[in-house]
Amino acid sequence: MTSLVLPEFLHRVDHQRCRRCKRCVMSCGFGALQFLERVVADHAKCVGCHRCATFCPEGAITIERNPTALRYNAHWSEEHRKAIWRQAESGGMLLSAMGNDKPYPSYFDHLLLDACQVTNPSIDPLREPMELRTYLGSKPERLEFGAGPDGKPRLTVELAPQVQLETPLVFSAMSFGSISLNAQKALAMAAEKCGITMNTGEGGLHKDLYPYSRHVVIQVASGRFGVSPEYLQQGAAVEIKIGQGAKPGIGGHLPGEKVPHEISETRMVPVGTDCLSPAPHHDIYSIEDLAQLIGALKEATRYEKPVGVKIAAVHNVAAIASGIVRAGADFIFLDGFRGGTGAAPTVIRDHVGLPIELAVAAVDDRLRREGIRNRASLVVAGGIRSSADVAKAVALGADVCAIGTAALVAMGCHLCQKCYTGNCSWGIATQRSELVRRLEPDVAAERLVNLVRAWSLELKEILGALGLNAIESLRGSRERLRAVGLDQTTLDILGVKPAGR
Amino acid sequence: MWKKDERIPSGCAISGFINRCGRKESGEAILRSIAAMHERSNGLGGGFAVYGCYPEYAACYAFHLMFESEAARDRVEEFLRRSFVVQGAEPIPTRSVASITDQPLLWRYFLEVRPESLTVGNTFLTEEDFVVAAVMEINAHFDGAYVASSGKNMGVFKGVGYPEEIGRFYRLEEYQGYLWTAHGRFPTNTPGWWGGAHPFALLDWSVVHNGEISSYGINKRYLEGHGYLCRLGTDTEVIAYLFDLFQRRHGLPLSATCLALAAPFWSEIDRLPPEEATIARAVRMVYGSGLLNGPFSIIVANRSGMIGLNDRIKLRPMVVAERGETVYMASEEAAIREICPSVDRLWYARGGEPVVAAMMPLGAEAEAEVA
């Protein structure tokens, strides 16, 4: 059937400058370029990932949004019309990747941080110590002491296991399968270097990553791929994945053609088998089932590592989170509706879930009101774009922020949102060996380390301006936030005063 | 009265001394000491805490109250009569001082807790819990009324004015105490709010504070989660409540409380001997929301002693001196030399390291006298 959808991008080559080196043709993972005496583009295949333009030695390539105009209609947007054409042609659900890209309000952009002037001094992070260290895990509400043999106070309770993070950042879960092994290696190397963690996602842990296991959070998801006693022994912490911000309530599907040898071994499924992650865990149909799985995983890991639960932020998130803490989770990974994915039905990605800012505020409030905030750490994710977002999320109540999309962007991702095709020209979201090879783990790791370092420096600068020298003094301190342009109900939910008050 | 949900930052002077054998003296010395730091106040707040001043009512909780109106007094007195056995009630004696105006009605009550009020349904409260709840109730829910202090055999005398004027106003030379602390305030605006002056007190904890708590927002939320209501418009009250929470309710050793309030840096903790490191790490992890971040020097007192503490990077001054069994702490050396020109020992307290001056156990007094 002929497609009625015009190309999104126009690929332009300045043939005067082009030296016919064909590098761009090889660069394109989507087969949009051909060499027929000169470079010829199939515009319809161009996804706007910029790999060709970035590596053109002559700077001869420009990629434009297709200016061909459809008649303007505020209700029947171009996007709606194109979606209908695509569905009329395919009869299928539309797929997307990465996070919700619709213009819903970003509450981060309505929040401003405080700073010190005169009455309390700001602190210069270049001269004074500035602490970002954070411990992920359950803390008791209070400590108890007895007297040691020398008469000195001695702790009589042992703390639950904790993961030490040198900065309040971790890498979000991205499975081997959704991203390449090289991308995972880069994340693991960077996590080790930064003193933070990466997360296996639900695809198991490749043997090559075992040396980094102290900096790896291993995931147990509904498909249980790659879960074995050996797998559980690896890792700094275990995370039960219930949901994901990009597709709350939806499972996953890695088609068999994307399951070559290495993935089959890591996921423990035969080569070429479809990997179906059911929407719910088939052994979790209520909170008490979750409590059992948490207990079983703690037992299996001999109570040596924190066991947490990842959920998507949905309407009743505060009550759900409270239940999860009471079920024994040592941390909650809270994923907002801007969170990324390798593949999701577009309708779900774009229309389900909650903004993370409101979710973290509601959850932190609820846990405090119930007196159980200390029992679990809050890892917050779903559209964290900058150190400012991190600082604001922490002030709203997050212990740690997780970054997935930002980490991919650091490695070269341009957010073309075509991860589900497996053709990633940047070698990140693909298993095609000729593409994977281009992502040099060392180089990508260096870019990640630089990003984490840069954000950490900025966080220190923000803390110093606030007159604080430890991140825990910002955590939950909504007094240091003011809002511009938000209505009273939203202010109440965020627990933040309007600017000027 | 000042709107209770707004906070006023301030700079300050503090001074305090304790006779560790319990020998008492009048308020004249502390007045001279705090007056020596006149420059550090701006006439918008001064106050004193004294311990041992009500021996005739030693078993009673001495409530010092400020009222904006007779109506507020009626309401609170009705509440107090309902909740306690009132053993004594009288206006706090004052004298007229030209510069002190707009004073609220100042009353004190000597209260005993009825044993039967400690059982609420199936819950059993301690006497202290009951008193704390009553203080929170008055401060938060009785308009125009505010509890200045609520401890046994101690009292807080404070108001708007220079501290030496406040001291004369309250006729402090007529009181005898073994432990005195004082505060001169330099707030950054003019609320004229008597309750906003220091010391802040709860039960027999009192705090005088020079500095500003930059972590107030989270300290307040943390305390609210434990039933403390911060309604007094300054950051200092969180210090008094944190001491009450950590020391009395959680039963932490004093060293652990100080570790929580002015925690060592992680890099220091990592270098400690393993057992100490375990404690320090656990305290920071569990009580991170109680870390007092930002500049402060504080003198915290209760019936059994006095603690001086600086923030961990020492952004506020504190000098400590010893003379015999008396320990002095002040923002400036001059304030100590004014009342004790020749000291045995004088030093500058280090950031984050508590200086503890505890009462000597009974019997030690005789030895000290011999010495």
Side-chain angles (χ1 to χ4, degrees), chain B residues 35-47:
Chain B
M37 297 185 288
H38 185 85
E39 290 281 292
R40 300 182 74 92
S41 322
N42 67 356
L44 292 176

Side-chain angles (χ1 to χ4, degrees), chain B residues 10-37:
Chain B
S10 61
C12 299
I14 57 176
S15 180
F17 64 84
I18 175 176
N19 183 295
R20 299 176 59 215
C21 297
R23 225 164 299 147
K24 295 181 184 178
E25 60 180 288
S26 83
E28 275 167 53
I30 193 73
L31 243 103
R32 278 196 289 129
S33 170
I34 195 76
M37 297 185 288

Side-chain angles (χ1 to χ4, degrees), chain A residues 312-351:
Chain A
V314 290
H315 297 184
N316 202 20
V317 66
I320 297 166
S322 159
I324 292 173
V325 175
R326 291 177 192 283
D330 297 319
F331 63 90
I332 295 182
F333 188 117
L334 201 55
D335 201 9
F337 83 141
R338 297 278 186 192
T341 176
T346 313
V347 64
I348 300 289
R349 189 198 73 168
D350 290 353
H351 299 280

Side-chain angles (χ1 to χ4, degrees), chain A residues 70-369:
Chain A
L70 275 167
R71 172 167 289 280
Y72 173 75
N73 188 315
H75 190 66
W76 294 97
S77 68
E78 278 196 31
E79 216 178 307
H80 284 110
R81 277 174 272 178
K82 285 181 179 168
I84 290 173
W85 285 325
R86 286 200 182 97
Q87 295 194 291
E89 286 155 18
S90 68
M93 287 195 295
L94 295 178
L95 281 185
S96 290
M98 304 314 290
N100 189 326
D101 61 2
K102 296 291 170 287
Y104 294 100
S106 167
Y107 295 95
F108 285 132
D109 297 339
H110 289 267
L111 293 173
L112 290 167
L113 288 155
D114 191 18
C116 291
Q117 298 286 288
V118 185
T119 55
N120 48 350
S122 43
I123 303 171
D124 186 346
L126 295 177
R127 291 161 190 268
E128 304 281 353
M130 200 53 77
E131 301 187 305
L132 299 178
R133 189 189 288 183
T134 301
Y135 284 89
L136 186 69
S138 176
K139 285 95 180 163
E141 199 213 332
R142 60 200 282 180
L143 288 175
E144 279 164 35
F145 289 86
D150 51 358
K152 284 188 187 164
R154 173 181 282 187
L155 272 179
T156 52
V157 281
E158 204 175 315
L159 252 57
Q162 307 282 328
V163 178
Q164 181 178 320
L165 303 169
E166 293 308 330
T167 189
L169 285 171
V170 293
F171 297 128
S172 297
M174 290 177 279
S175 70
F176 176 36
S178 76
I179 60 171
S180 64
L181 187 58
N182 279 1
Q184 272 209 341
K185 278 183 189 164
L187 288 164
M189 289 159 74
E192 182 179 57
K193 197 140 190 202
C194 299
I196 61 171
T197 57
M198 61 88 76
N199 189 313
T200 59
E202 57 178 317
L205 183 69
H206 193 277
K207 289 271 188 309
D208 287 4
L209 299 183
Y210 277 28
Y212 304 98
S213 60
R214 284 185 53 237
H215 296 275
V216 176
V217 174
I218 55 162
Q219 212 176 58
V220 174
S222 62
R224 300 286 198 275
F225 297 115
V227 178
S228 68
E230 191 190 7
Y231 173 70
L232 292 175
Q233 294 325 311
Q234 305 296 321
V238 182
E239 178 177 290
I240 300 167
K241 180 199 171 183
I242 299 294
Q244 184 177 345
K247 43 178 175 178
I250 297 288
H253 178 190
L254 188 70
E257 59 265 32
K258 292 190 195 167
V259 183
H261 174 71
E262 300 250 26
I263 290 185
S264 100
E265 195 175 296
T266 309
R267 293 203 173 207
M268 302 177 182
V269 294
V271 175
T273 326
D274 283 5
C275 292
L276 291 166
S277 300
H281 288 241
H282 284 334
D283 53 358
I284 301 179
Y285 280 83
S286 186
I287 189 77
E288 61 270 24
D289 300 336
L290 176 66
Q292 281 191 355
L293 182 59
I294 293 171
L297 289 172
K298 285 188 176 178
E299 193 71 36
T301 53
R302 298 187 303 268
Y303 299 90
E304 284 168 355
K305 45 190 82 170
V307 175
V309 175
K310 175 175 180 173
I311 51 168
V314 290
H315 297 184
N316 202 20
V317 66
I320 297 166
S322 159
I324 292 173
V325 175
R326 291 177 192 283
D330 297 319
F331 63 90
I332 295 182
F333 188 117
L334 201 55
D335 201 9
F337 83 141
R338 297 278 186 192
T341 176
T346 313
V347 64
I348 300 289
R349 189 198 73 168
D350 290 353
H351 299 280
V352 178
L354 280 191
I356 191 60
E357 303 92 318
L358 301 179
V360 62
V363 169
D364 179 66
D365 261 350
R366 172 67 75 100
L367 299 184
R368 280 177 196 277
R369 219 174 323 132

